[in-house]
Amino acid sequence: MNLSFTEENYLKNIFHLNFNVDENVSTNALAEVLNTKAASVTDMLKKLSEKELVNYEKYQGVTLTKIGEEQAITVIRKHRLWEVFLVEKLNFKWDEVHDIAEELEHINSEKLINRLDEFLNFPKTDPHGDPIPDKNGVLKSQELIPVSKLKVGDKGLISGVREHSAEFLKYLDKTGLILGESLNIIEIINFDGSVMLLIKGKQQMISREVANNLLIAT
């Protein structure tokens, strides 16, 4: 199925917003993520519904049909494989690759993507710790927990992030909070939700916002 860049972006973002959430995606939530007007979102959802890619009813939100989900997962697979390629083979930093992959994900060649997957030795996750769907569209979710949900004495491995902005990733690089590092929870400040960590033998305080967006495999 040939879809426009905009249509693919809608499907991808509906998938992300609906992932592990048992409720329809609202028009306003989509408008916020896509930085557009709710009226424009409504118009696009009607078009996607006519193509049987989404289930949409006015005021009831939207979900993906089976075909729509397959299309969304294909785009996500391409995006995440390109991110791996950019980091591992072209030496981009993990905070630089998202916008480039946003463009590359729309290249419509299954053969190219399967060759890319093979060339990269079939990676399971992208540079941000997000799982990569396989060529059959299977997306294995990971059991990752935000640091904010841990308790004093808990420990784990930094394995992903919720926030993919360049600013946040640069902050993590600067502070050494990168994928693969192990940490222990030493103290949680009730007043503001900040967390004291032990990482690489040193204590480090992070804010509640950072703790909410840093994902751990325990």
Side-chain angles (χ1 to χ4, degrees), residues 33-197:
V33 168
L34 294 166
N35 194 27
T36 189
K37 297 179 180 178
S40 299
V41 172
T42 298
D43 289 341
M44 177 56 72
L45 293 180
K46 289 178 180 177
K47 293 178 182 178
L48 294 174
S49 180
E50 290 172 359
K51 293 185 176 184
E52 300 184 345
L53 294 167
V54 302
N55 302 303
Y56 172 68
E57 291 184 30
K58 194 174 183 180
Y59 306 123
Q60 299 300 315
V62 62
T63 59
L64 296 173
T65 64
K66 183 178 180 180
I67 299 174
E69 183 173 299
E70 290 172 353
Q71 294 291 323
I73 288 175
T74 296
V75 176
I76 291 166
R77 168 174 161 77
K78 290 188 287 185
H79 182 103
R80 293 178 179 174
L81 283 172
W82 282 121
E83 286 195 336
V84 174
F85 175 76
L86 290 167
V87 169
E88 291 190 359
K89 304 303 180 181
L90 299 186
N91 298 319
F92 280 84
K93 296 181 179 179
W94 69 336
D95 59 87
E96 298 176 314
V97 297
H98 180 74
D99 289 345
I100 302 172
E102 285 278 300
E103 299 182 32
L104 294 171
E105 71 185 22
H106 299 293
I107 296 174
N108 189 20
S109 172
E110 182 179 357
K111 184 176 182 179
L112 170 63
I113 297 305
N114 287 337
R115 289 278 182 88
L116 178 64
D117 193 16
E118 182 180 7
F119 176 68
L120 296 170
N121 198 26
F122 308 104
K124 302 300 182 185
T125 59
D126 72 9
H128 310 109
D130 295 317
I132 299 174
D134 66 20
K135 65 180 181 179
N136 297 314
V138 177
L139 178 61
K140 295 182 180 180
S141 59
Q142 297 173 293
E143 294 296 327
L144 300 183
I145 304 171
V147 171
S148 58
K149 297 295 185 182
L150 300 179
K151 299 177 181 178
V152 173
D154 287 346
K155 60 181 66 175
L157 200 68
I158 301 175
S159 301
V161 293
R162 280 177 168 171
E163 170 63 57
H164 291 127
S165 70
E167 291 78 10
F168 181 64
L169 298 177
K170 287 177 182 177
Y171 165 80
L172 295 182
D173 269 337
K174 184 177 181 179
T175 55
L177 298 170
I178 57 177
L179 299 192
E181 293 291 349
S182 59
L183 56 78
N184 294 17
I185 307 300
I186 296 177
E187 183 180 3
I188 299 172
I189 310 301
N190 292 328
F191 173 69
D192 61 1
S194 55
V195 180
M196 179 68 78
L197 308 173

Side-chain angles (χ1 to χ4, degrees), residues 3-18:
L3 301 175
S4 69
F5 288 12
T6 302
E7 289 171 330
E8 289 188 338
N9 284 334
Y10 266 79
L11 296 176
K12 178 182 65 175
N13 281 286
I14 293 170
F15 182 90
H16 286 317
L17 290 170
N18 199 226

